[in-house]
Amino acid sequence: MSKREPVHCHVVEKAARDLLKERGVTLNAVAQIVFDMQLPYNKDLKMEECIDSVDKVLEKREIQHAILVGIELDKLAEKKQLSEPLQSIVEMDEGLFGVDETIALGSVFGYGSIAVTTFGYLDKQKIGIIKDLDTKQEGSINTFLDDLVCSIAANAASRLAHRLRDKQERLREEEIQRRDHEERIG
């Protein structure tokens, strides 16, 4: 038995991104969800920041692995290559089947409680491309993919929320330092 080398991270990332593209999921579509979720908290938010945040989330190995597994299961279900009763459960996106959410939710924990609660909200509300993926179209199965997109968007939104707070705190600290300096010289 020969020792196998680990798969290089760039290969995994490219495969995950290619699968999303193949399934019609673009960075812009996910970023639009992030933008809509974060705009009420950040009136100066720019779409480019949301795209960048989605891009950064897709660099995370745990997200990439979830994408590879989930989309592969969706594709196998489309080809009717899963064993029964799993084939029927995935094909009909059975309401009590929570494995799709579990895989997606597992990749949310690294971005904190904001990501977890945002994931739950997106999973229920089905905003933007998530709704498109969740709506049954002849021949396509996105049982796992819609939840994965919820995860990516939730992570990107949480990442932005944390960065906004960091920026606000830096600005506040700069204000305090400026005021202290003015008091000393004035």
Side-chain angles (χ1 to χ4, degrees):
M1 185 169 139
S2 64
K3 183 178 178 201
R4 299 185 112 185
E5 292 295 318
V7 179
H8 195 280
C9 65
H10 296 302
V11 172
V12 176
E13 181 177 349
K14 183 179 180 334
R17 288 175 184 270
D18 288 349
L19 280 172
L20 288 173
K21 184 188 271 187
E22 173 187 307
R23 303 296 280 189
V25 177
T26 65
L27 287 181
N28 286 350
V30 181
Q32 185 63 57
I33 296 167
V34 175
F35 183 82
D36 293 343
M37 295 291 298
Q38 288 300 301
L39 189 60
Y41 308 104
N42 182 357
K43 297 295 181 200
D44 297 325
L45 184 64
K46 301 205 177 3
M47 184 61 145
E48 295 77 33
E49 294 172 292
C50 299
I51 292 169
D52 181 62
S53 194
V54 170
D55 191 53
K56 295 290 190 236
V57 165
L58 290 173
E59 291 176 1
K60 298 291 185 184
R61 212 175 258 128
E62 190 165 349
I63 302 294
Q64 297 162 5
H65 291 164
I67 290 167
L68 294 176
V69 170
I71 292 176
E72 185 70 19
L73 287 168
D74 283 343
K75 289 169 70 171
L76 288 170
E78 286 173 355
K79 296 175 187 172
K80 301 202 180 296
Q81 292 182 339
L82 298 175
S83 301
E84 287 295 346
L86 183 60
Q87 176 65 41
S88 295
I89 292 168
V90 172
E91 200 170 313
M92 65 189 294
D93 199 358
E94 164 76 43
L96 295 177
F97 181 70
V99 176
D100 48 341
E101 282 91 0
T102 302
I103 289 173
L105 184 60
S107 61
V108 174
F109 291 122
Y111 285 89
S113 60
I114 294 171
V116 174
T117 56
T118 301
F119 172 83
Y121 175 81
L122 291 173
D123 185 41
K124 285 295 177 204
Q125 297 303 312
K126 307 292 188 208
I127 297 169
I129 192 169
I130 299 165
K131 183 175 185 163
D132 297 340
L133 293 168
D134 189 58
T135 306
K136 300 277 186 276
Q137 295 176 359
E138 191 62 38
S140 72
I141 296 174
N142 296 310
T143 299
F144 290 87
L145 182 57
D146 66 325
D147 296 309
L148 291 166
V149 172
C150 287
S151 173
I152 296 163
N155 288 335
S158 178
R159 183 180 177 279
L160 276 176
H162 285 283
R163 290 190 181 289
L164 174 61
R165 173 61 64 87
D166 292 345
K167 181 179 178 182
Q168 290 168 337
E169 288 176 359
R170 275 193 303 277
L171 289 174
R172 186 163 186 265
E173 187 61 35
E174 288 172 9
E175 282 177 23
I176 292 169
Q177 288 174 359
R178 190 173 30 254
R179 209 176 13 213
D180 288 348
H181 177 74
E182 289 171 359
E183 286 175 6
R184 277 182 281 176
I185 62 170

